[in-house]
């Protein structure tokens, strides 16, 4: 029976056998050329199978890696990054941080800080509240909101004292906020004070003349282009703006006097915008003594455990800031904006 007539199909990997006619000439042996071709085909198929298995393994690995990455991000958003409020079951000292510029679009905004203060006061186990301040100041409006809320919360919760602790700097709007506390403490080298108001901008008229740029401004209302940086400065506008600054400065002064009372020294420089070290601030009555947040909690409050009630940035926002987007936005705003600030 010839191979073509055999009922048995050749299995995978079986070497082909010679036909009856070839067998008659070479005794049933396969020619060397056919054997080599078959081995090459077999190696090629096996290598393709190995590559497919390897590709599947790498695919599974990368899918698992992607899943682990997404799961890690989920945990990063969900898990707390510091002491949790929920974990504070015993008596403790509540901490609310005022960190960085005080502005509506910053972490130290009135919304964030006021919300944190309310939570800290409402907590049954918080013995006192410490404002941990490290800020150069900012918006008088945002500072005023926080100042008023601290005064209100002190009246609503008379048994809970509010302490302000200044670390590196507590100036301008930050000191405005601190003056609402029962007592203020700082480090001997802290920068304290700067009770004043500043507003600034740029004038581009000379540059425009040199490069041949013409300013075209259309308004309805004679003062709508008030202090336009691309138009020549008008003395009546400058005088009016100085009156606004003086009025805002007086609000600042009145708030500090209300908060500090007779503890302030009789020194005409207090409200001139100057800044002092913590040691000098004690002598001037701007602060009550030298001490840290831990010292206040341990020595004055009597509850050494600190629980942070501060509003925090999301991990995504931190990532954006690290990539430099926040710096770019801040730089652009600084160059193009002119806004009133306490300094």
């Amino acid at each position: 029976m010839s191979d073509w007539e055999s009922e048995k199909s050749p299995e995978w990997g079986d070497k082909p056998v010679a036909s009856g006619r070839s067998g008659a000439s070479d005794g049933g042996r396969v020619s060397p050329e056919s054997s080599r071709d078959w081995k090459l085909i077999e190696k090629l198929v096996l290598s393709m199978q190995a590559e497919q298995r390897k590709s599947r393994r790498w695919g599974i690995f990368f899918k698992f890696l992607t899943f682990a990455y997404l799961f890690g991000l989920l945990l990063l958003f969900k898990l707390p990054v510091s002491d949790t409020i929920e974990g504070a079951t015993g008596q403790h000292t509540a901490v609310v941080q005022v960190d960085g510029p005080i502005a509506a679009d910053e972490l130290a905004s009135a919304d964030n800080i006021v919300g944190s203060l309310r939570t800290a006061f409402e907590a049954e186990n918080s013995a006192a509240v410490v404002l941990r301040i490290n800020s150069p100041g900012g918006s008088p409006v945002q500072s005023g909101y926080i100042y008023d809320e601290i005064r209100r919360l002190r009246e609503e919760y008379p048994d809970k004292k509010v302490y302000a602790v200044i670390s590196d700097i507590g100036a301008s709007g930050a000191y405005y906020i601190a003056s609402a506390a029962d007592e203020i403490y700082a480090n001997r080298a802290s920068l304290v004070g700067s009770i004043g108001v500043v507003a600034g901008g740029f004038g581009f008229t000379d540059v425009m003349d040199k490069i041949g740029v013409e300013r075209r401004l259309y308004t309805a209302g004679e003062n709508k282009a008030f202090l336009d940086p691309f138009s020549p400065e008008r003395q009546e506008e400058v005088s009016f703006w100085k009156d606004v600054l003086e009025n805002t400065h007086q609000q600042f002064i009145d708030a500090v006097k209300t908060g500090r009372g007779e503890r302030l020294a009789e020194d005409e420089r207090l409200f001139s915008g100057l800044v002092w070290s913590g040691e000098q601030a004690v002598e001037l009555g701007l602060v009550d003594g030298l001490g840290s947040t831990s010292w206040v909690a341990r020595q004055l409050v009597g509850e050494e455990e600190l629980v942070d009630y501060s509003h925090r940035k999301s991990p995504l926002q931190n990532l954006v800031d690290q990539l430099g987007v926040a710096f770019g936005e801040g730089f652009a705003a600084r160059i193009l904006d002119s806004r009133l600030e306490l300094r």
Side-chain angles (χ1 to χ4, degrees):
M1 181 184 294
S2 68
D3 292 335
W4 296 103
E5 296 169 344
S6 173
E7 295 180 356
K8 178 183 177 182
S9 301
E11 298 295 332
W12 177 256
D14 290 346
K15 293 182 175 60
V17 297
S19 64
R21 286 177 295 177
S22 62
S25 61
D26 57 12
R29 292 184 178 179
V30 179
S31 66
E33 292 80 3
S34 298
S35 179
R36 282 196 299 269
D37 291 344
W38 180 254
K39 287 180 179 179
L40 287 173
I41 294 173
E42 185 177 21
K43 287 182 179 179
L44 179 61
V45 172
L46 291 175
S47 66
M48 290 175 63
Q49 288 179 332
E51 286 295 328
Q52 287 177 349
R53 285 194 295 267
K54 187 184 295 184
S55 177
R56 283 197 298 268
R57 285 196 295 267
W58 278 111
I60 293 171
F61 171 76
F62 282 115
K63 287 177 182 177
F64 175 78
L65 194 63
T66 303
F67 175 78
Y69 175 74
L70 294 174
F71 185 71
L73 282 180
L74 180 63
L75 287 179
L76 185 64
F77 278 91
K78 292 295 183 181
L79 292 180
V81 294
S82 63
D83 294 336
T84 60
I85 298 174
E86 291 80 4
T89 56
Q91 286 290 107
H92 60 270
T93 300
V95 176
V96 175
Q97 299 195 49
V98 181
D99 195 9
I102 302 167
D105 54 353
E106 296 286 346
L107 189 61
S109 67
D111 285 343
N112 291 340
I113 294 175
V114 166
S116 300
L117 284 169
R118 288 174 180 170
T119 305
F121 271 95
E122 291 168 1
E124 294 182 1
N125 293 326
S126 63
V129 179
V130 174
L131 282 165
R132 184 187 286 163
I133 297 174
N134 186 21
S135 169
S139 164
V141 176
Q142 299 292 307
S143 302
Y145 283 152
I146 299 168
Y147 175 95
D148 292 341
E149 184 63 15
I150 293 172
R151 302 279 298 181
R152 187 191 72 79
L153 289 169
R154 283 178 57 188
E155 293 181 3
E156 185 175 349
Y157 300 89
D159 296 332
K160 291 187 181 182
K161 294 190 71 173
V162 184
Y163 299 91
V165 177
I166 297 170
S167 55
D168 294 294
I169 183 170
S172 193
Y175 187 78
Y176 192 155
I177 293 171
S179 65
D182 290 286
E183 297 176 18
I184 305 174
Y185 293 87
N187 183 271
R188 62 177 58 87
S190 300
L191 296 178
V192 181
S194 187
I195 303 173
V197 184
V198 64
F202 296 89
F204 299 100
T205 52
D206 290 343
V207 175
M208 293 167 61
D209 291 339
K210 288 181 180 179
I211 62 176
V213 176
E214 180 185 358
R215 173 64 163 163
R216 295 176 179 176
L217 183 64
Y218 310 101
T219 65
E222 58 178 324
N223 293 311
K224 191 61 181 178
F226 181 73
L227 296 180
D228 175 47
F230 301 101
S231 301
E233 194 173 58
R234 297 168 57 188
Q235 189 55 47
E236 59 270 23
E237 292 181 350
V238 175
S239 298
F240 179 86
W241 189 232
K242 284 184 177 180
D243 289 341
V244 174
L245 298 182
E246 289 292 338
N247 180 263
T248 307
H249 188 205
Q250 189 59 51
Q251 295 171 14
F252 192 177
I253 294 171
D254 293 343
V256 172
K257 286 183 175 180
T258 300
R260 300 298 296 165
E262 297 180 354
R263 288 173 288 186
L264 292 172
E266 293 292 335
D267 193 318
E268 60 183 13
R269 301 174 302 165
L270 277 180
F271 307 113
S272 67
L274 289 175
V275 64
W276 289 273
S277 70
E279 205 165 45
Q280 294 172 313
V282 174
E283 298 174 0
L284 292 169
L286 291 171
V287 303
D288 296 283
L290 303 178
S292 64
T293 301
S294 298
W295 181 87
V296 168
R298 183 174 57 253
Q299 300 295 330
L300 302 181
V301 182
E303 296 295 340
E304 194 168 357
E305 182 185 0
L306 300 174
V307 176
D308 196 343
Y309 287 76
S310 307
H311 179 89
R312 297 189 179 279
K313 289 183 180 179
S314 69
L316 180 60
Q317 183 62 48
N318 282 327
L319 178 61
V320 171
D321 290 350
Q322 290 172 5
L323 292 176
V325 175
F327 173 80
E329 291 177 347
F331 182 78
R334 191 68 175 169
I335 292 296
L336 300 176
D337 258 358
S338 171
R339 59 183 177 186
L340 182 63
E341 293 186 351
L342 296 178
R343 287 189 184 173

